[in-house]
Amino acid sequence: MSTKQFAIIGMGRFGSSVARTLYEMDYEVMGIDEDEERINENIQYVTHAVAADSTDETALKEIGIRNFDVVVVAIGHDIQASILTTLILKEMGVKKIVAKAQNERHGQVLYKVGADRVVFPERDMGMRLAHNLISANVLDFIELAEEYSVIESVASAKMVGKTLRQLDVRARYGVNVIAIKSGESFNISPAPDDLIQANDVLVVIGHNKDLKEFEEKA
Ligand code: ATP
């Protein structure tokens, strides 16, 4: 099996971070930016780097963009260029397009023109920070639907040494513990009598309102 090949269009802070991380994990990564300076800054952190305008279909054809497994559109400020690029990639038959959105409207349009996945890094990071500020135990927060989320939370002092049955978070807060990370081991079907140990991380699903209660009180 050959390794996955990625192309990242727009080597700003977000795009270059995606590209470098993939490259460090030994994937083949092509970085594309219309700004030569951005290309020069990132050349040693990607497999190939090309200066091109992604709204130019011919340029994308020459790069052979169709052959990449995933293309990430990491253009932020120039919303028009981000949308046009996504549309062109879709029309060219790119297998998987991931696009970065500045806001909800931008995201909706990106889905309409063919993005397979839209990410909102600023919004998501802001949400994570807010949850972490409410409770320092909260490590991560993922929105599943408008009102439902999953959080990863370090077991509080009150929880350590108790079983899930004793904690009874379902009855008390209306949330469900779907997994427990304990050091290297990951228990994906926790049983009522499983004991919570110090430093365990609980993966909890629920309505945002109930998760808030859980974060504040549990
Ligand atoms: P970040 O937060 O990741 O820095 P940003 O929101 O500031 O991103 P922009 O500066 O708008 O993002 O764009 C990121 C990069 O995309 C820039 O380096 C810019 O040169 C590049 N870019 C913008 N339009 C195009 C285009 N049409 N073709 C290729 N690259 C482009």
Side-chain angles (χ1 to χ4, degrees), residues 137-155:
N137 289 337
V138 176
L139 303 176
D140 205 354
F141 170 90
I142 302 158
E143 193 177 37
L144 292 180
E146 208 166 304
E147 294 180 12
Y148 294 88
S149 308
V150 171
I151 60 166
E152 279 190 6
S153 186
V154 180

Side-chain angles (χ1 to χ4, degrees), residues 174-216:
V175 300
N176 280 291
V177 177
I178 52 173
I180 301 173
K181 286 188 209 172
S182 201
E184 292 296 298
S185 77
F186 197 44
N187 176 358
I188 54 156
S189 55
D193 292 321
D194 285 348
L195 210 58
I196 312 278
Q197 293 166 16
N199 301 318
D200 277 3
V201 175
L202 276 57
V203 183
V204 188
I205 190 167
H207 191 284
N208 290 344
K209 176 174 64 62
D210 299 327
L211 286 171
K212 179 171 176 275
E213 284 270 311
F214 175 82
E215 285 170 32
E216 288 170 347

Side-chain angles (χ1 to χ4, degrees), residues 129-170:
L129 176 62
H131 281 270
N132 185 258
L133 293 175
I134 294 177
S135 163
N137 289 337
V138 176
L139 303 176
D140 205 354
F141 170 90
I142 302 158
E143 193 177 37
L144 292 180
E146 208 166 304
E147 294 180 12
Y148 294 88
S149 308
V150 171
I151 60 166
E152 279 190 6
S153 186
V154 180
S156 65
K158 278 191 263 177
M159 295 178 188
V160 175
K162 300 223 170 78
T163 63
L164 284 178
R165 197 196 300 277
Q166 287 170 324
L167 291 178
D168 206 13
V169 294
R170 196 178 293 167

Side-chain angles (χ1 to χ4, degrees), residues 10 12-14 33-35 38 52-54 74-77 81 100:
R13 288 163 300 179
F14 178 73
D33 202 296
E34 62 182 359
D35 184 345
R38 284 283 158 90
D53 176 358
S54 60
I75 301 170
H77 288 106
K100 166 184 142 159

